[in-house]
Amino acid sequence: KLVHEFHLVENLIENVITKAKDGNHKKVVAINVTLGKDSHVKDDNLKFLMELRCKETVADGAGINVKHAEGKNVFVESIDVE
């Protein structure tokens, strides 16, 4: 299960980094994630893995904000940048 969460986070953060770089942003200060209640992903695991994956990237130190929703999907709703 943790392997599934790791791959999920890898994809989410790669997309965040790409969006930030494409917009010529120097820093991602917050990542706003929607977490489906039926996704079987735990908040704590998601936050921990996202923080770990953000290390030494444009998103290093970004706040991870999780909003719960119906369904199974987990996705980045938006990012806050500088």
Side-chain angles (χ1 to χ4, degrees):
K1 183 174 173 176
L2 193 58
V3 172
H4 167 72
E5 291 173 353
F6 177 80
H7 288 292
L8 172 69
V9 165
E10 180 70 21
N11 290 333
L12 293 175
I13 299 304
E14 284 299 320
N15 288 334
V16 166
I17 292 168
T18 299
K19 286 181 183 181
K21 288 183 177 178
D22 288 351
N24 292 318
H25 301 290
K26 295 180 180 175
K27 180 96 176 126
V28 175
V29 294
I31 303 170
N32 304 303
V33 181
T34 297
L35 178 60
K37 293 177 184 174
D38 298 326
S39 68
H40 304 291
V41 175
K42 294 183 180 180
D43 286 35
D44 292 344
N45 289 351
L46 181 71
K47 287 181 180 181
F48 172 76
L49 290 171
M50 288 183 78
E51 289 168 359
L52 189 65
R53 178 59 185 88
C54 287
K55 295 283 185 201
E56 298 181 14
T57 73
V58 69
D60 196 350
I64 311 296
N65 304 310
V66 178
K67 178 177 84 174
H68 294 95
E70 296 301 319
K72 296 180 181 180
N73 293 333
V74 179
F75 60 92
V76 174
E77 187 170 312
S78 64
I79 59 174
D80 300 336
V81 294
E82 291 181 345

